[in-house]
Amino acid sequence: MEVASAVRSSLLFLRLQTHSPSHLQRLSSTSAHFFASAKRRTRTTSRLHHAPASFHQTSNFVVNSSTSSSTTAEPAASGTFSEVERIKNKCLKWQWKGQYSINYFASPDDDDSSDEEYPPLLLVHGFGASIPHWRRNINTLSQNYTVYAIDLLGFGASEKPPGFSYTMETWAELILDFLEEVIKKPTVLIGNSVGSLACVIAASDSSQKLVRGIVLLNCAGGMNNKAIVDDWRIKLVLPLLWLVDFLLKQKGIASAIFERVKQRENLKNILSSVYGDKESVDEELVEIIREPANDEGALDAFVSIVTGPPGPNPVQLMPKISVPVLLLWGNEDPFTPLDGPVGKYFSSLASEKENVKLCVLEGVGHCPHDDRPELVHEKLLPWLANLSDS
């Protein structure tokens, strides 16, 4: 979490207690990432099944520099599924540690037709998001790769156990266990925001051999506002952050804030503040974020994540990583800006480590894969191809 975002979100949180509706529309993007885990219609089987032929179709992503660069989901024809519905309908369940139900997606199916030279990909969403947030990427990536996506515990259609204490380390462990038990092959991890950080933690585990490479889309500095504690500005506002934690632990206050923020118009305003291309913030995206906020356990997950420990710092973890790394960073991200502590570190990393490549995406916000997918694919696909050839 960056300094400016930490200060702004904390102040706005306190203002919200005045119950002035005008304050809510200025709520920072920091809070938005915690509100979306989605209910999914899933099949309760542990095996993968063959995808219907209609799922594999020509990519809808077109780069056109002379017109708006927004890439939206193609409207569904009468009687057909939208891309999001197809993704939901292909989701499966996996029992993690024998007790937690984890929602995941796989396409194409895990069969012998997959070329061994192409590593599988695992997509890991950020705060408040879920598998359908990759709606503009799965179709393109699955043309040449086996693509998996996962709902982290506490988000999407994955379980939200009551009283669970969420940590970055827990999500990293979930990723590694998924690689070992479900994918069972060296895999490229592709994460956004806190999903990126979970991928970094997983890849930094020297005992694992199943991470082939990692792609970080605007990597977060921690699970919440308390991450950059070595910055003097954060130290100044730490008492305020602790006050926010205290207030959120009062269930009545937390519930009131949760109910107000998940209103459709408020969510759209929050999302627009972290997207570079405002046209990408469509009604489908709002529903992806909004629907799961009604899940039992969603409020508890939100409070636990905001008030919990920030987790390991990526600055300390990256030196341990020797696999190829691709950094894709939107330069208009107010959440983890390039000129913030974490952004500056990652910007300098490419010149210091041969295994790291940085691509700055102009006019792109905190969620590059959904904001400007064509720019992401333009950089990602050649990097993946080169990785497969090496």
Side-chain angles (χ1 to χ4, degrees):
M1 185 72 59
E2 299 301 336
V3 175
S5 182
V7 177
R8 182 174 65 251
S9 59
S10 301
L11 292 174
L12 287 173
F13 177 91
L14 294 178
R15 289 177 186 173
L16 193 59
Q17 308 315 307
T18 66
H19 302 289
S20 169
S22 62
H23 290 151
L24 190 53
Q25 292 188 356
R26 299 197 304 273
L27 189 63
S28 82
S29 60
T30 304
S31 300
H33 293 275
F34 302 103
F35 291 115
S37 345
K39 286 184 179 177
R40 300 289 181 263
R41 289 178 293 155
T42 59
R43 286 172 262 181
T44 56
T45 175
S46 60
R47 296 183 66 250
L48 301 180
H49 298 277
H50 291 287
S54 60
F55 183 84
H56 307 292
Q57 51 183 287
T58 304
S59 170
N60 294 328
F61 309 136
V62 179
V63 180
N64 187 342
S65 59
S66 63
T67 61
S68 169
S69 57
S70 174
T71 306
T72 57
E74 186 173 312
S78 177
T80 64
F81 287 119
S82 69
E83 188 68 13
V84 167
E85 288 299 321
R86 280 194 291 268
I87 291 171
K88 289 182 181 181
N89 289 336
K90 277 184 60 68
C91 283
L92 305 169
K93 293 293 187 183
W94 167 60
Q95 288 298 116
W96 182 43
K97 295 182 178 294
Q99 57 181 324
Y100 301 120
S101 178
I102 301 299
N103 189 54
Y104 76 96
F105 166 93
S107 176
D109 291 313
D110 190 14
D111 56 33
D112 294 334
S113 65
S114 298
D115 196 323
E116 289 295 329
E117 70 175 294
Y118 294 115
L121 314 178
L122 175 60
L123 311 180
V124 186
H125 62 80
F127 273 131
S130 55
I131 292 170
H133 201 209
W134 301 99
R135 58 189 173 147
R136 294 169 173 161
N137 316 106
I138 287 175
N139 200 25
T140 293
L141 296 175
S142 63
Q143 291 178 18
N144 292 309
Y145 300 90
T146 298
V147 178
Y148 294 85
I150 193 169
D151 280 341
L152 295 173
L153 188 72
F155 293 108
S158 288
E159 192 168 342
K160 304 167 186 65
F164 192 89
S165 296
Y166 295 88
T167 66
M168 291 302 313
E169 293 90 341
T170 297
W171 288 328
E173 182 182 3
L174 168 62
I175 290 170
L176 290 176
D177 287 347
F178 187 80
L179 296 182
E180 183 176 354
E181 297 180 22
V182 179
I183 302 181
K184 302 178 182 179
K185 296 178 183 177
T187 301
V188 176
L189 305 179
I190 303 177
N192 173 229
S193 185
V194 73
S196 282
L197 182 54
C199 292
V200 169
I201 299 171
S204 68
D205 183 347
S206 59
S207 66
Q208 61 77 30
K209 304 296 182 184
L210 289 176
V211 177
R212 179 71 178 84
I214 57 175
V215 180
L216 309 179
L217 301 160
N218 289 62
C219 185
M223 192 169 72
N224 51 45
N225 281 337
K226 298 180 287 294
I228 315 298
V229 294
D230 57 344
D231 188 289
W232 66 270
R233 292 164 293 185
I234 284 291
K235 291 180 180 179
L236 285 178
V237 299
L238 271 177
L240 182 59
L241 299 179
W242 292 332
L243 175 60
V244 169
D245 283 1
F246 172 77
L247 292 173
L248 277 177
K249 289 177 180 179
Q250 316 309 307
K251 192 157 187 178
I253 295 175
S255 179
I257 294 171
F258 194 82
E259 288 300 317
R260 294 176 65 185
V261 174
K262 71 182 183 181
Q263 294 174 13
R264 184 184 304 276
E265 192 59 32
N266 295 329
L267 278 178
K268 189 167 186 178
N269 290 336
I270 293 168
L271 289 165
S272 294
S273 73
V274 297
Y275 270 61
D277 184 355
K278 310 308 179 186
E279 293 184 17
S280 289
V281 183
D282 54 19
E283 291 304 313
E284 186 175 64
L285 175 62
V286 173
E287 278 305 304
I288 289 171
I289 304 300
R290 180 177 180 270
E291 180 184 2
N294 295 317
D295 279 2
E296 184 177 354
L299 173 59
D300 289 345
F302 160 65
V303 172
S304 175
I305 292 167
V306 175
T307 62
N313 191 318
V315 175
Q316 300 168 338
L317 298 176
M318 287 303 296
K320 302 178 182 179
I321 295 176
S322 58
V323 298
V325 179
L326 175 63
L327 304 172
L328 298 177
W329 215 283
N331 73 330
E332 292 188 2
D333 181 5
F335 194 62
T336 50
L338 276 171
D339 61 356
V342 174
K344 286 181 178 179
Y345 170 75
F346 278 109
S347 295
S348 64
L349 199 59
S351 62
E352 299 172 1
K353 298 194 67 176
E354 292 184 358
N355 63 313
V356 178
K357 178 179 180 180
L358 169 67
C359 296
V360 176
L361 306 178
E362 299 291 332
V364 180
H366 186 62
C367 307
H369 59 292
D370 192 55
D371 191 339
R372 291 290 301 277
E374 78 283 356
L375 295 184
V376 169
H377 299 152
E378 181 182 288
K379 303 299 183 182
L380 175 59
L381 294 176
W383 183 85
L384 289 173
N386 184 64
L387 183 68
S388 300
D389 293 337
S390 61

